Amino acid sequence: MDTTKFVHWQDGDSWIGYLAEFPDYHTQGDTLADLEDHLRDLYADLSTGKVAGARRVGELQLP
């Protein structure tokens, strides 16, 4: 099973988060589990090109 990192926090009654690879795209849920479901859907859309021009974070090797 593949994994990806995400950042999350609770704001009042909502859980808000984003995928570390795609920090410009936030989503929210009523619970942490609900947020994780939304993040999975968001990842599917972003990683398959359904969102045109999606910006992502990469890693650069330095000398």
Side-chain angles (χ1 to χ4, degrees), residues 4-63:
T4 190
K5 294 183 186 281
F6 68 97
V7 177
H8 67 282
W9 63 94
Q10 190 170 11
D11 186 5
D13 291 335
S14 297
W15 287 85
I16 302 169
Y18 60 89
L19 300 160
E21 185 177 352
F22 299 98
D24 292 338
Y25 304 91
H26 293 199
T27 189
Q28 69 183 46
D30 294 329
T31 65
L32 182 55
D34 186 38
L35 172 63
E36 290 175 357
D37 287 340
H38 291 284
L39 287 167
R40 285 184 194 93
D41 292 340
L42 182 61
Y43 182 82
D45 289 345
L46 292 168
S47 65
T48 60
K50 288 185 179 179
V51 177
R55 296 180 288 191
R56 56 189 336 159
V57 173
E59 190 169 309
L60 180 65
Q61 293 289 326
L62 299 174

